[in-house]
């Protein structure tokens, strides 16, 4: 942690790129996906799925939208608060160190913490919009909210197809904005990966896109991907909030968290 703080202070790095996963929001009360026992995929028996990931598969949703709507009802943003880790990200932005925050999370807690919109790439989409899965016609925000809250399946007013929030499902393309931002990784002078198992592609491949000279930092409960294999990699095992708090003490930022 102290060598990371020293790197941030002494090199004056100004292009910090972040890669976030569900582990940054578990302390907000949102489960991650793959942690044994507590992860979402271990707790979906009530949805009677053929396999857990089916709830986020477009081919399954087309046949059976109810399981996803059940989950959407539980995970809908609004009741969860940003964590210390989200405050740290806001601080990076306030101090003009943040280049891009790539997130796989659909909880919008980065925005709620005050990270500017133009710094955030929601690689797996969000609940911010929705459309018909057949004719792609957008659907009204308020009506969608009403449907999710009352657990009714929203149907397209044009073709009758099911309506789905703009969350990227398995079998769907990632947003244009994500694809366009990939070349930015070349200008990163520090990559911090937090709370992700790095198992879902193409997101996980971002970690390979930074220059060899760019240190990669992993803050996670366990080792993931190949982080640790390069000479400049730093692996900080622990809870994001704890590691970030210690880092902020070293940086003299603890009062601003
Ligand atoms: P995962 O559940 O796969 O991984 C979360 C990682 O965070 C694991 O390595 C945990 O050990 C770690 N973790 C959990 N709590 C933590 C904490 N407090 N501090 C530090 N680490 C912690 O979640 P993601 O990698 O985000 O996609 O999953 C990627 C994608 O898979 C999701 O975006 C979602 C899912 O299917 C879609 O729905 C399209
Ligand atoms: Zn339609």
């Amino acid at each position: 942690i102290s060598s990371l703080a020293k790197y941030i202070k002494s090199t004056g790095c100004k292009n910090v790129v972040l890669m976030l996963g569900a582990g940054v929001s578990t302390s907000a009360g949102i489960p991650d996906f793959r942690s044994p026992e507590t992860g979402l995929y271990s707790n979906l028996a009530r949805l009677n799925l053929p396999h857990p990931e089916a709830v986020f598969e477009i081919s399954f949703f087309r046949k059976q939208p109810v399981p996803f709507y059940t989950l959407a009802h539980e995970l809908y943003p609004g009741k969860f608060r940003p964590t210390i880790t989200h405050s740290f990200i806001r601080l990076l932005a306030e101090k003009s160190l943040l280049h891009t925050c790539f997130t796989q999370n659909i909880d919008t807690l980065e925005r709620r913490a005050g990270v500017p919109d133009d710094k955030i790439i929601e690689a797996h989409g969000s609940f911010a919009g929705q459309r018909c899965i057949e004719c792609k016609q957008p659907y009204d925000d308020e009506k969608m909210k009403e449907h999710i809250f009352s657990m009714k399946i929203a149907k397209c007013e044009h073709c009758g197809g099911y309506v789905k929030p703009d969350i990227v499902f398995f079998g769907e393309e990632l947003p244009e904005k994500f694809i366009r931002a990939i070349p930015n990784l070349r200008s990163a002078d520090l990559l911090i990966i937090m709370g992700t198992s790095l198992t879902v592609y193409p997101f996980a491949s971002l970690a390979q896109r930074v220059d060899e000279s760019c240190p990669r930092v992993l803050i996670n409960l366990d080792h993931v991907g190949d982080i640790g294999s390069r000479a400049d990699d730093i692996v900080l095992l622990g809870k994001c909030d704890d590691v970030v708090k210690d880092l902020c003490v070293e940086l003299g930022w603890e009062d601003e968290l």
Side-chain angles (χ1 to χ4, degrees):
I1 290 174
S2 59
S3 52
L4 174 58
K6 221 176 276 166
Y7 178 81
I8 293 174
K9 278 196 283 199
S10 66
T11 63
C13 59
K14 287 201 174 48
N15 292 315
V16 179
V17 172
L18 304 177
M19 287 174 65
L20 310 182
V24 303
S25 297
T26 49
S27 65
I30 306 170
D32 69 5
F33 296 90
R34 296 178 182 80
S35 282
E37 292 176 30
T38 55
L40 192 70
Y41 290 150
S42 307
N43 291 285
L44 295 178
R46 64 207 148 84
L47 299 183
N48 288 317
L49 300 162
H51 52 276
E53 294 83 359
V55 71
F56 296 118
E57 283 168 8
I58 191 67
S59 53
F60 182 77
F61 179 85
R62 188 167 270 121
K63 288 181 289 186
Q64 287 190 49
V66 174
F68 170 76
Y69 269 77
T70 308
L71 213 55
H73 181 245
E74 293 166 14
L75 297 178
Y76 199 81
K79 53 179 184 268
F80 305 105
R81 310 219 157 276
T83 67
I84 289 170
T85 303
H86 292 102
S87 298
F88 166 68
I89 301 167
R90 171 184 50 79
L91 276 183
L92 287 174
E94 281 175 6
K95 294 175 186 297
S96 302
L97 302 181
L98 182 63
H99 188 285
T100 308
C101 171
F102 288 95
T103 183
Q104 297 168 94
N105 300 341
I106 55 169
D107 54 35
T108 63
L109 291 183
E110 302 86 0
R111 275 191 260 171
R112 285 202 59 190
V115 181
D117 268 3
D118 63 347
K119 297 283 178 195
I120 305 169
I121 307 273
E122 289 170 331
H124 292 168
S126 76
F127 282 98
Q130 51 282 318
R131 63 203 67 246
C132 168
I133 59 166
E134 307 302 344
C135 75
K136 312 293 178 204
Q137 187 75 26
Y139 188 82
D140 181 74
D141 288 349
E142 276 311 306
K143 279 190 198 159
M144 186 67 199
K145 224 168 155 176
E146 281 166 25
H147 277 79
I148 289 180
F149 285 165
S150 59
M151 300 254 291
K152 285 200 199 103
I153 312 302
K155 293 206 186 105
C156 176
E157 283 147 4
H158 301 265
C159 78
Y162 295 139
V163 175
K164 176 179 90 45
D166 293 336
I167 293 168
V168 179
F169 275 29
F170 294 112
E172 292 190 303
E173 297 289 324
L174 273 65
E176 260 299 302
K177 202 176 164 193
F178 171 81
I179 312 287
R180 276 202 309 270
I182 293 176
N184 294 350
L185 282 148
R186 298 248 77 157
S187 44
D189 46 23
L190 179 65
L191 175 69
I192 308 181
I193 302 164
M194 295 194 273
T196 174
S197 61
L198 288 184
T199 49
V200 174
Y201 283 77
F203 190 91
S205 66
L206 296 178
Q208 314 303 327
R209 299 249 180 186
V210 294
D211 272 358
E212 288 284 331
S213 62
C214 169
R216 303 183 305 174
V217 179
L218 173 71
I219 303 177
N220 209 59
L221 286 180
D222 34 36
H223 286 275
V224 295
D226 74 336
I227 314 303
S229 66
R230 292 186 188 173
D232 290 337
D233 286 351
I234 298 176
V235 178
L236 302 170
L237 297 184
K239 289 187 181 170
C240 294
D241 289 351
D242 295 344
V243 174
V244 157
K245 232 186 282 171
D246 290 349
L247 177 62
C248 286
V249 169
E250 293 275 339
L251 288 165
W253 299 357
E254 71 268 36
D255 295 338
E256 298 168 79
L257 268 182

